[in-house]
Amino acid sequence: MSDIGRNDPCPCNSGKKYKKCCLLKKEGARDGLFLWKRADARVIGEGVKLSEKMFMDEMAALHLLYWGKEENGVAYGSEESERMQFIEWLVHDHRQAEGGPTAMENVLKDKGLGDLERRIAEARTQATMSVYQVTGIFPEEGLELEDIFSRKKVIVKDKLASRSVQKGVLIPCRIFPAGEHNFVSGAVFAISPAERHVVDEYLEGGYRNFKKKVDKKTSFGDFLRRKAHLFGGLRVAVERFREENLFPRALVNHDGEKLEPSKAVYRVVDAGKVADELRELKEMDEMEKGERFIWNNAKSNLLLGNIELKEGTLSLECNSKERLARGKKLLKGISGLKHKVGVLESMKSLLESVKAGVIAGKRKDEEKNDPPELAAVKKRLLLEHKQEYYEEKWLKNEVLALDGMMPLLAAKDPKMRRRLIDLLRQLEFMEGGDSDPEGPRYDFNCLRVKLGLKEE
């Protein structure tokens, strides 16, 4: 169709020129879609502003209601997609009091709304959050989605989603009509088909509990409307499942500290004097004269760290942050040293989101403003970290999703091999769903080769 000229005969055989027939209809539909999208943007903008005024004094409590308590130092709500998800709920579902209006219902009361804006606001107030599965993709057009609970199918207009979403993916969102089109709202995170059971257990389990304790006659749709804040907990449950089941539990050293290679670098003023003072410490064993020392536990002879002294610098390497802190305290008494930088400490701060990047594709907002040179370095470091993580640590450690078996052994077990193949696909899906389309992608075919699964 794109090869047809405006003055060519219309392919519908009407006898008219293309520009006087089907092209008019096509351009008219495009213009109509634009008008609906513009009206929707205005409505949602008003809803956001109104929700901030209505609920300003409750924000801390509402964050707690939606995301739950912080656990193990992990708090939700700071990432851009998490903020968007929270605002979606705040605008459409939260009420100031039992039976009171939502922010979107108050937008609908605005007498200054145009016809399209009023119809959009009405549709948004009636739409309920649910979980949809992508059953079809129309390139550059949109998606076919199926509600996993009601089994109802709908086609939505979303050009961007048609480029990035994979078939089979589950998307928590709300869908509402806009004239002859259907729009999607609140679709900010995707769930792998392999994680469907987490959705079922969390939402359907919550529904059963609600019927048992609150209202036996409530329908599932009404439950989702009344308890829409559970979609925050659903995201937490999915991401917690990924972290606990797809990745090995944290390894620890002899002292029970998390294994986390750490390194501190010092500028050396007088190398000879520094070497002499290191020799005087009972915890130090000189391995190479004036250049390399081993830091041991004086009582147990346990290796605690390595020290290298050359080219005007001294480096201390340990296998945990806690040991590095103790080592730096020990070196504090050495004259002729000036602390330069904790190299792997600074790398860790540079890549603070690496673990989340491996698990859930999270990126820090401030990284968007990095200069190109720094952004390139970060991408390279992140990709190197992912490669090391998967090919060195993940392969050789117990993974709960494989019943505690190491991937290397699971590849040789006929019963576990299929599960391993599915697990790799799930990890690949998560990598492809990274919220940063420019970010580095780890190639899981490298793992398949190492596991002997390349042809499967």
Side-chain angles (χ1 to χ4, degrees):
M1 188 68 75
S2 60
D3 295 330
I4 301 172
R6 294 175 59 84
N7 292 311
D8 291 343
C10 190
C12 74
N13 297 318
S14 64
K16 298 178 182 179
K17 290 185 178 181
Y18 180 48
K19 68 181 182 181
K20 296 289 186 180
C21 190
C22 287
L23 182 59
L24 274 180
K25 298 174 185 177
K26 185 176 181 180
E27 290 178 342
R30 188 184 301 135
D31 291 343
L33 180 61
F34 169 76
L35 292 175
W36 281 107
K37 284 185 176 291
R38 186 173 65 179
D40 186 46
R42 289 174 179 170
V43 168
I44 195 62
E46 288 301 312
V48 171
K49 286 191 289 186
L50 195 53
S51 67
E52 290 173 348
K53 291 180 183 178
M54 291 172 63
F55 309 122
M56 184 178 293
D57 296 335
E58 303 177 60
M59 283 300 180
L62 293 179
H63 267 272
L64 186 62
L65 171 66
Y66 193 77
W67 294 115
K69 294 181 180 179
E70 177 178 324
E71 289 190 22
N72 301 321
V74 177
Y76 284 79
S78 60
E79 294 287 333
E80 180 63 24
S81 67
E82 293 167 356
R83 287 196 291 269
M84 289 170 64
Q85 184 179 336
F86 174 76
I87 290 171
E88 173 76 17
W89 167 73
L90 195 66
V91 169
H92 296 87
D93 303 300
H94 182 59
R95 300 177 184 276
Q96 279 183 312
E98 189 68 31
T102 64
M104 187 54 66
E105 287 170 347
N106 277 337
V107 169
L108 188 56
K109 296 175 183 178
D110 184 353
K111 295 181 180 179
L113 292 179
D115 178 57
L116 295 188
E117 292 164 353
R118 183 167 302 282
R119 289 163 67 182
I120 286 284
E122 287 175 348
R124 280 185 170 274
T125 59
Q126 294 169 17
T128 303
M129 283 289 292
S130 191
V131 180
Y132 293 83
Q133 185 165 34
V134 179
T135 52
I137 299 175
F138 308 106
E140 299 301 306
E141 291 288 340
L143 308 170
E144 180 187 66
L145 302 175
E146 180 180 77
D147 188 315
I148 67 171
F149 303 114
S150 70
R151 294 299 179 188
K152 292 181 180 178
K153 288 188 176 183
V154 62
I155 293 176
V156 300
K157 282 284 185 180
D158 198 319
K159 187 175 181 179
L160 185 61
S162 74
R163 298 173 182 171
S164 57
V165 173
Q166 302 172 34
K167 193 172 181 179
V169 166
L170 304 176
I171 305 174
C173 62
R174 77 180 76 236
I175 297 175
F176 61 95
E180 61 183 26
H181 311 291
N182 290 301
F183 288 175
V184 175
S185 184
V188 294
F189 81 103
I191 300 172
S192 162
E195 296 160 343
R196 166 69 185 268
H197 67 283
V198 180
V199 178
D200 292 338
E201 289 169 8
Y202 190 83
L203 293 181
E204 292 186 342
Y207 176 51
R208 289 193 296 271
N209 191 50
F210 184 83
K211 287 182 69 176
K212 184 178 179 181
K213 295 183 177 181
V214 182
D215 187 350
K216 294 181 179 180
K217 298 180 179 180
T218 299
S219 67
F220 187 69
D222 190 45
F223 164 73
L224 291 181
R225 179 182 291 276
R226 292 170 65 179
K227 297 294 179 181
H229 66 274
L230 291 178
F231 282 88
L234 173 62
R235 179 168 184 165
V236 173
V238 169
E239 295 190 359
R240 193 168 291 157
F241 167 80
R242 292 172 179 174
E243 186 166 357
E244 292 176 355
N245 290 274
L246 305 187
F247 299 89
R249 296 174 180 175
L251 300 177
V252 297
N253 63 17
H254 186 271
D255 297 321
E257 301 157 348
K258 182 180 176 182
L259 285 177
E260 192 168 2
S262 303
K263 181 178 180 179
V265 176
Y266 296 79
R267 184 165 61 84
V268 177
V269 178
D270 186 334
K273 188 174 182 181
V274 169
D276 288 340
E277 292 187 32
L278 286 173
R279 293 185 187 105
E280 292 176 8
L281 295 174
K282 61 181 180 179
E283 297 94 339
M284 296 293 172
D285 289 332
E286 189 172 12
M287 304 302 292
E288 296 177 21
K289 190 171 182 180
E291 290 190 356
R292 185 164 171 264
F293 293 80
I294 295 294
W295 171 33
N296 293 307
N297 183 307
K299 294 181 180 179
S300 65
N301 208 34
L302 177 70
L303 174 66
L304 298 176
N306 289 288
I307 291 178
E308 195 172 77
L309 183 63
K310 64 179 182 180
E311 297 179 358
T313 62
L314 178 146
S315 62
L316 166 65
E317 295 186 21
C318 304
N319 66 9
S320 73
K321 291 190 301 182
E322 292 81 3
R323 281 189 183 175
L324 184 72
R326 296 198 298 273
K328 287 165 69 174
K329 190 175 181 180
L330 182 67
L331 293 178
K332 213 169 186 180
I334 303 292
S335 59
L337 283 182
K338 288 192 176 181
H339 189 216
K340 189 175 180 182
V341 62
V343 173
L344 291 193
E345 286 182 311
S346 65
M347 183 185 296
K348 188 177 186 308
S349 64
L350 181 70
L351 300 174
E352 189 64 38
S353 61
V354 162
K355 183 182 179 186
V358 170
I359 294 174
K362 295 183 180 178
R363 301 298 300 272
K364 287 190 172 183
D365 292 339
E366 55 265 29
E367 291 185 359
K368 297 175 183 177
N369 300 317
D370 285 338
E373 297 81 3
L374 181 56
V377 170
K378 287 187 177 184
K379 286 182 181 180
R380 177 176 59 79
L381 290 174
L382 181 56
L383 187 57
E384 288 176 358
H385 183 95
K386 288 182 177 183
Q387 183 175 353
E388 179 186 4
Y389 178 84
Y390 283 119
E391 296 179 17
E392 298 298 328
K393 296 180 182 178
W394 189 83
L395 274 182
K396 303 171 185 177
N397 284 283
E398 298 174 352
V399 177
L400 201 58
L402 299 174
D403 292 343
M405 186 178 287
M406 289 190 299
L408 281 172
L409 295 180
K412 300 174 183 178
D413 186 320
K415 294 181 179 179
M416 297 301 296
R417 191 176 178 89
R418 172 47 56 186
R419 194 184 299 186
L420 175 61
I421 291 169
D422 292 340
L423 179 57
L424 286 175
R425 286 177 181 152
Q426 185 175 358
L427 292 170
E428 201 165 33
F429 156 80
M430 289 159 53
E431 181 80 356
D434 194 321
S435 59
D436 178 10
E438 302 279 323
R441 299 281 189 269
Y442 175 72
D443 184 359
F444 281 88
N445 285 322
C446 298
L447 273 186
R448 292 186 176 97
V449 170
K450 289 179 178 290
L451 291 165
L453 303 173
K454 186 166 177 59
E455 300 303 320
E456 299 186 42

